[in-house]
Amino acid sequence: AGRELSGTVALVTGASSGIGAATARALAEAGAAVALVARRKERLDALAAELARSGARALALEVDVTDQAQARAAVQRTVGELGSLDVLVNNAGVMLLGPISGAPTEEWDRMIALNLQGLLYTAHAALPHLLAAAERSPRRVADLVNVSSVAGRRARSGAGVYNLTKFGVGAFSESLRQEVTARHVRVSLVEPGAVDTELVSHVRPEVREQSTRTFANVEMLEAEDVADAIRYIVTRPRRMAVNELLVRPTEQE
Ligand code: NDP
């Protein structure tokens, strides 16, 4: 793979761990300057330093994207300090599994606030810049990648509100795709199966056990596998839009 993203600027949400951190590395390797967005500042600073050592421009932004003003400020600082916005990867998300009946409803609020509202606020703030980049940048195309999940295509018992948020991301992405694609902002949806990250660590212990059992004999995807898929999407020629990419571990049914 080459340096197809040289001269471009990418913003990755949830860049402090897992898929987001791996994606930031992959896009930096492809030549992009990268804004790293999440709440854990030390992690972002460490990643920014690592990327800088390998010659990339990186900006660590301590941001809670569920706060619209913060999401907007992250986009403004990215454009102000790195010069433009060509690629947005809406990756930050939380998966709080468990039955709907009797669920602690604050878990629903957290998933809706981050997986839906955070993604919406960031997309909304970024769109004028993506549209401008598609018109004026040397590449004449921009990318908005939304990270959904297999859970955004198949609902199952024990994942109801996570399913709700990820199905929602799919619907939003398709609608936005139709709205902006003729203006060369490509909207893509990535739907990974099980990836070995911190995601499952936030699930309540009694529920987590069951989900760990389901994947006990499955060789999970690595964050780098999904980052590779995202890199593929955003490095296609201007004429080619990867609308949707579903990737499961080979052993996942
Ligand atoms: P991680 O838990 O490792 O990463 C989640 C990221 O989101 C962290 O960087 C976290 O950083 C960030 N984040 C959480 N809350 C906020 C917030 N309020 N504002 C900004 N950033 C926030 O999990 P993954 O890498 O696995 O998850 C990334 C995406 O991939 C999610 O959307 C998830 O639904 C999706 N996915 C994951 C799968 C898997 O099996 N792992 C499968 C399918 C989809 P911090 O806490 O520092 O803010």
Side-chain angles (χ1 to χ4, degrees), residues 222-233:
E222 294 178 7
E224 289 70 24
D225 299 328
V226 182
D228 201 25
I230 293 172
R231 178 184 175 147
Y232 173 80
I233 289 171

Side-chain angles (χ1 to χ4, degrees), residues 13-20 37-41 43 63-66 90-95 114-115 147-151 162 166 190-202 220 223:
T13 70
S16 61
S17 65
I19 294 168
V37 167
R39 297 165 306 172
R40 286 171 295 178
K41 185 62 164 42
R43 297 257 204 136
V63 167
D64 179 342
V65 296
T66 68
N90 261 322
N91 159 79
V94 65
M95 174 184 76
L114 181 59
N115 304 2
V147 179
S148 176
S149 169
V150 163
Y162 186 63
K166 293 301 191 180
V190 178
E191 297 154 316
V195 189
D196 187 13
T197 68
E198 295 173 18
L199 192 73
V200 81
S201 70
H202 306 291
M220 304 229 285

Side-chain angles (χ1 to χ4, degrees), residues 183-236:
R183 286 179 277 172
H184 295 97
V185 176
R186 299 182 293 204
V187 179
S188 307
L189 189 66
V190 178
E191 297 154 316
V195 189
D196 187 13
T197 68
E198 295 173 18
L199 192 73
V200 81
S201 70
H202 306 291
V203 176
R204 271 175 288 134
E206 65 273 21
V207 182
R208 195 191 315 148
E209 231 169 78
Q210 194 198 322
S211 122
T212 318
R213 255 198 316 263
T214 312
F215 292 102
N217 297 312
V218 171
E219 184 188 355
M220 304 229 285
L221 294 175
E222 294 178 7
E224 289 70 24
D225 299 328
V226 182
D228 201 25
I230 293 172
R231 178 184 175 147
Y232 173 80
I233 289 171
V234 303
T235 55
R236 288 315 86 203

Side-chain angles (χ1 to χ4, degrees), residues 22-213:
T23 299
R25 286 191 181 94
L27 301 186
E29 197 186 271
V34 188
L36 311 169
V37 167
R39 297 165 306 172
R40 286 171 295 178
K41 185 62 164 42
E42 329 74 62
R43 297 257 204 136
L44 297 178
D45 285 337
L47 180 55
E50 176 198 316
L51 297 180
R53 278 194 301 276
S54 56
R57 289 170 79 200
L59 181 63
L61 298 173
E62 179 180 352
V63 167
D64 179 342
V65 296
T66 68
D67 176 340
Q68 183 166 198
Q70 288 187 46
R72 190 159 300 285
V75 169
Q76 296 307 336
R77 277 198 62 191
T78 300
V79 174
E81 296 182 34
L82 299 177
S84 67
L85 183 60
D86 303 273
V87 176
L88 169 64
V89 181
N90 261 322
N91 159 79
V94 65
M95 174 184 76
L96 305 169
L97 301 175
I100 293 165
S101 169
T105 57
E106 64 86 24
E107 290 191 343
W108 299 354
D109 298 341
R110 283 169 61 198
M111 287 191 280
I112 290 165
L114 181 59
N115 304 2
L116 292 177
Q117 289 177 300
L119 178 142
L120 293 174
Y121 297 151
T122 312
H124 183 260
L127 270 165
H129 303 287
L130 295 173
L131 286 161
E135 215 173 289
R136 295 188 221 113
S137 74
R139 279 202 324 157
R140 309 268 323 282
V141 69
D143 285 284
L144 197 168
V145 180
N146 288 328
V147 179
S148 176
S149 169
V150 163
R153 294 176 57 114
R154 189 193 270 186
R156 62 177 186 80
S157 172
V161 179
Y162 186 63
N163 289 138
L164 163 73
T165 63
K166 293 301 191 180
F167 271 73
V169 170
F172 171 70
S173 301
E174 174 56 16
S175 171
L176 181 60
R177 188 191 68 75
Q178 293 175 24
E179 182 179 323
V180 297
T181 196
R183 286 179 277 172
H184 295 97
V185 176
R186 299 182 293 204
V187 179
S188 307
L189 189 66
V190 178
E191 297 154 316
V195 189
D196 187 13
T197 68
E198 295 173 18
L199 192 73
V200 81
S201 70
H202 306 291
V203 176
R204 271 175 288 134
E206 65 273 21
V207 182
R208 195 191 315 148
E209 231 169 78
Q210 194 198 322
S211 122
T212 318
R213 255 198 316 263

